[in-house]
Amino acid sequence: MTVLTRWSPPTERERPGAGAVAKSLLLRVVLPGILVWAAICGIGLLLAGPLKSIEDNENSVSEALAKGRTATMNSVTAVWSHIGNTEIVIGVCVVACIVLLALTRRWWLAIIPAIAIALQASTFVGATLVVGRDRPTVPHLDPAPPTSSYPSGHVGASTALYLSLIFFASRIERVWLRNTLVTVFALIPLLVAYARLYRGMHHVTDVLVGFANGIVCALLARWCIREADGGRTAPV
């Protein structure tokens, strides 16, 4: 696959039925997603209960970052943090799905990023309803959303989105373009994570669980479509 050359139209053998995709979504996204949600909730309840002492060490990290703030980094991290905002993630996802559909002519591949961020969002919102963790005890540089600090939705969403895009970018034939896109897509969630820590919006464990949530959701989305398609035209 190259950016300027579209794939050939899919054959009937390649094209999975809507029923196969729906069944795969249920078995390989929805049901595993419930287990992921339960695991994230369990970890969160431990952090808010028996393991609450860990928060003291995490607050020391937040305080150290807050003491080292500068006007320049405040502005830079504001941009990085904004990349993980819901409206930005959804906007990039919509554009990515349209581009992927135009390039591959396979709708079942083009929806992988959408599946990944939808599952991540569902897991994240469900976990915040169960685990009500306070944000770090430092000045917050971003408006605090109504959800709790655990887990990081910004990190989870950006990880799910850009990891799913890495699946596609890794198939680009031109080495320089492939390596550039993979590097950029891998770097974005890291910048978002640092920004959220720097700006006092999350504890370290919030960010780590956000990473885990995003990674698992992207992998489940890829697995789901691969199985629905009989393993023939998965991105990687």
Side-chain angles (χ1 to χ4, degrees):
M1 169 182 138
T2 66
V3 171
L4 299 179
T5 303
R6 296 194 301 180
W7 290 7
S8 60
T11 64
E12 286 300 320
R13 181 175 178 273
E14 289 179 312
R15 186 181 291 109
V21 173
K23 180 180 178 181
S24 192
L25 280 171
L26 175 62
L27 297 179
R28 296 180 174 85
V29 172
V30 177
L31 295 182
I34 294 174
L35 297 179
V36 173
W37 167 79
I40 290 177
C41 288
I43 295 172
L45 292 174
L46 287 175
L47 291 172
L51 301 180
K52 191 171 177 60
S53 59
I54 293 177
E55 197 168 297
D56 293 334
N57 295 328
E58 293 185 290
N59 281 328
S60 65
V61 173
S62 299
E63 291 167 2
L65 289 171
K67 289 179 181 178
R69 288 173 180 168
T70 64
T72 299
M73 284 306 297
N74 288 352
S75 299
V76 171
T77 56
V79 175
W80 294 349
S81 178
H82 194 65
I83 292 173
N85 283 4
T86 301
E87 66 274 15
I88 298 298
V89 169
I90 292 177
V92 172
C93 181
V94 170
V95 172
C97 290
I98 293 173
V99 171
L100 289 171
L101 179 59
L103 291 175
T104 68
R105 304 187 188 186
R106 288 158 173 80
W107 64 266
W108 58 96
L109 296 184
I111 63 174
I112 287 179
I115 295 172
I117 68 169
L119 178 60
Q120 187 282 146
S122 300
T123 306
F124 155 69
V125 172
T128 62
L129 296 176
V130 176
V131 183
R133 192 182 195 191
D134 294 331
R135 296 185 184 275
T137 55
V138 296
H140 304 152
L141 298 185
D142 287 334
T147 53
S148 71
S149 181
Y150 176 92
S152 173
H154 281 64
V155 174
S158 58
T159 301
L161 173 61
Y162 290 101
L163 178 55
S164 66
L165 295 183
I166 286 176
F167 296 154
F168 290 94
S170 63
R171 291 199 61 185
I172 294 175
E173 294 177 351
R174 296 181 182 179
V175 175
W176 69 268
L177 183 58
R178 179 177 67 244
N179 292 342
T180 298
L181 289 178
V182 168
T183 300
V184 170
F185 292 157
L187 185 60
I188 289 176
L190 297 177
L191 297 179
V192 172
Y194 178 78
R196 298 302 283 173
L197 291 172
Y198 175 92
R199 299 177 71 78
M201 304 309 297
H202 290 292
H203 302 282
V204 173
T205 47
D206 301 335
V207 167
L208 293 177
V209 175
F211 273 129
N213 186 24
I215 291 171
V216 171
C217 290
L219 291 175
L220 286 176
R222 172 182 171 239
W223 179 43
C224 162
I225 298 302
R226 180 180 178 85
E227 294 303 314
D229 192 35
R232 290 185 297 272
T233 56
V236 177

